[in-house]
Amino acid sequence: MMMGQGFVVQGSNGEFPFLTSSERLEVVSRARQALPKDKLLLAGSGCESTQATVEMTVSMAQVGADAAMVVTPCYYRGRMSSAALIHHYTKVADLSPVPVVLYSVPANTGLDLPVDAVVTLSQHPNIVGIKDSGGDVTRIGLIVHKTRSQDFQVLAGSAGFLLASYAIGAVGGVCALANVLGSQVCQLERLCLTGQWEDAQKLQHRLIEPNTAVTRRFGIPGLKKTMDWFGYYGGPCRSPLQELSPAQEEALRLDFASNGWL
């Protein structure tokens, strides 16, 4: 399965921990209905238990997901050894009717999917790649290197290190910033893939502050506010996430304006 251009729903910015199971499935179903047939739909199906993850993955496939993106279970992170994670993902991939993409997002889970576990899991015929949001380019390069003999695709998990990831062998990205600067993120990909590194570097530099603003700095409330500014619908966040204060909103605006986006 080549992960061409498409969409991810129920990733970290989909507020999935705050949604009921039926709401999570409805989001996938509605997205599938709205998307052209040739666009891939990746759906975040991760839950804390293996059984719940299998059930959610099967259900999401039934309502139209082309692949499942499965975040690391993390509530009992102290016990999430490589062995535990390999067992979890193997079980999910064995029973999933669609390909599985591993998802490591340590900023939210406090857990990095260990490289040795990724390498082992890359050998599973139904595990096709990883979204790595940690931002450690050394780690991304090592995963690319150690999985090079497998049909396994490494995706950058954020727009702030997209150029660096392409330079070291990643083949794509799943980026929160694409919700507001989608064409610019796609343009950065094109520049990297066609070897126009100087232009790519200039564009990458201008995306770093906006990307940090809608991820680490202001999170989902910041992303949704920016979507409203750019003519999309961001809307309110679910509690306990809070709206930005006026001062935070001003700082967010500056991160975009100072880079020429507003």
Side-chain angles (χ1 to χ4, degrees), residues 119-133:
V119 173
T120 299
L121 290 166
S122 73
Q123 295 160 29
H124 192 292
N126 203 31
I127 295 177
V128 296
I130 182 171
K131 175 189 176 190
D132 195 309
S133 298

Side-chain angles (χ1 to χ4, degrees), residues 82-184:
S82 283
L85 291 163
I86 289 168
H87 182 268
H88 172 74
Y89 280 108
T90 300
K91 200 61 132 179
V92 173
D94 282 348
L95 296 171
S96 172
V98 292
V100 169
V101 178
L102 311 173
Y103 181 22
S104 183
V105 56
N108 289 351
T109 62
L111 184 73
D112 245 332
L113 186 51
V115 172
D116 66 293
V118 176
V119 173
T120 299
L121 290 166
S122 73
Q123 295 160 29
H124 192 292
N126 203 31
I127 295 177
V128 296
I130 182 171
K131 175 189 176 190
D132 195 309
S133 298
D136 179 345
V137 179
T138 310
R139 173 186 152 89
I140 289 170
L142 190 58
I143 292 171
V144 170
H145 179 54
K146 287 189 170 283
T147 60
R148 67 195 180 283
S149 60
Q150 304 298 327
D151 187 10
F152 187 79
Q153 298 169 58
V154 179
L155 308 173
S158 203
F161 51 91
L162 196 55
L163 179 152
S165 298
Y166 275 118
I168 207 151
V171 297
V174 176
C175 306
L177 188 63
N179 285 289
V180 283
L181 297 179
S183 62
Q184 290 85 351

Side-chain angles (χ1 to χ4, degrees), residues 26 34 43-44 46 57 69 78 94 96 130 137 140 151 157 159 166-167 172 190 197 199 233 244 249-250 259-260:
E26 190 176 352
T57 303
M69 195 173 81
D94 282 348
S96 172
I130 182 171
V137 179
I140 289 170
D151 187 10
Y166 275 118
R190 273 191 299 276
W197 294 108
D199 287 344
Y233 176 75
L244 298 183
E249 206 174 304
E250 200 40 57
N259 288 285

